[in-house]
Amino acid sequence: DAEFQCGGTIAKWARLGAAVPHLVLTDGSKGTWAATADTAALARRRQLEQEEAADLLGGTSVTFLGLTDGELTSDVANRDRVCEVVRRLRPDVVLGHDPWKRYRLHPDHAAAGRLGVEGIVAARDPWLAPEQLRDGLTPHRPRALRLFEPDEADHAETFGEADLDRKVAALLAHRSQWETTHLH
């Protein structure tokens, strides 16, 4: 989703020298319209495609939480998992789904947006997920949160043709996503 929504921005920031790690919450196992698909094999394939796409954009790493596709929930356990990644990676800026977008149809996108916001709040607060602090992590507050696909945008990031080319290449790396969707 990040490649589609903000791939040009990611490519630009990476080109300018920013470390751009990716966090993928779900396993992609249900990302097909083929009723007879091997969902375990699809999840493995989606992970490889994501790593390729991140590399094409200039991303520095991909963290996979492996939560079941189509069943993502914004709960304390998942919030704490996102919090741990934020505390470990210590990003300056976080990009994510806007959880408040009207008429958002995909439940994973809404939950991912909430988890992004709630994970950042938890990451800055020493009283949320305190066991992580005992494990050596420290609170962290990114300086900015940018939510993509909002109802009302308050920021627009421009990027060049080379960044657009990298975005398109990253989108095309997700071959398993367009194998069945073009038939419907």
Side-chain angles (χ1 to χ4, degrees):
D1 297 320
E3 292 82 9
F4 186 74
Q5 299 296 338
C6 57
T9 297
I10 293 169
K12 172 186 171 181
W13 290 358
R15 177 177 48 79
L16 295 175
V20 188
H22 297 244
L23 172 61
V24 178
L25 301 177
T26 59
D27 64 6
S29 61
K30 297 177 184 173
T32 181
W33 291 348
T36 59
D38 177 344
T39 58
L42 180 60
R44 287 189 300 277
R45 185 172 176 200
R46 294 290 286 273
Q47 189 168 346
L48 294 172
E49 290 172 350
Q50 182 60 54
E51 289 170 340
E52 179 184 351
D55 186 56
L56 288 165
L57 290 175
T60 53
S61 65
V62 183
T63 300
F64 296 97
L65 293 189
L67 301 168
T68 304
D69 198 22
E71 300 177 22
L72 187 62
T73 58
S74 177
D75 57 26
V76 173
N78 288 339
R79 180 205 68 198
D80 288 355
R81 293 181 77 184
V82 173
C83 168
E84 185 274 329
V85 173
V86 171
R87 286 175 173 170
R88 182 172 40 84
L89 296 178
R90 308 187 73 72
D92 291 323
V93 179
V94 172
L95 301 170
H97 289 279
D98 182 345
W100 300 286
K101 180 176 176 61
R102 289 176 293 169
Y103 312 114
R104 181 169 298 288
L105 297 179
H106 199 303
D108 282 355
H109 295 177
R114 284 190 303 276
L115 285 168
V117 172
E118 294 166 4
I120 288 171
V121 170
R124 71 178 188 197
D125 188 330
W127 297 106
L128 296 176
E131 68 284 351
Q132 294 174 4
L133 304 181
R134 290 189 293 275
D135 292 338
L137 294 175
T138 58
H140 176 70
R141 181 179 187 165
R143 95 183 139 72
L145 169 63
R146 298 282 184 223
L147 301 174
F148 49 72
E149 198 184 24
D151 285 324
E152 293 184 39
D154 63 358
H155 177 82
E157 189 79 24
T158 60
F159 52 85
E161 190 172 326
D163 304 317
L164 177 61
D165 291 344
R166 289 170 67 190
K167 172 182 176 157
V168 171
L171 285 167
L172 292 175
H174 293 283
R175 289 172 291 286
S176 66
Q177 291 192 31
W178 40 272
E179 287 174 352
T180 60
T181 57
H182 77 281
L183 301 174
H184 299 278

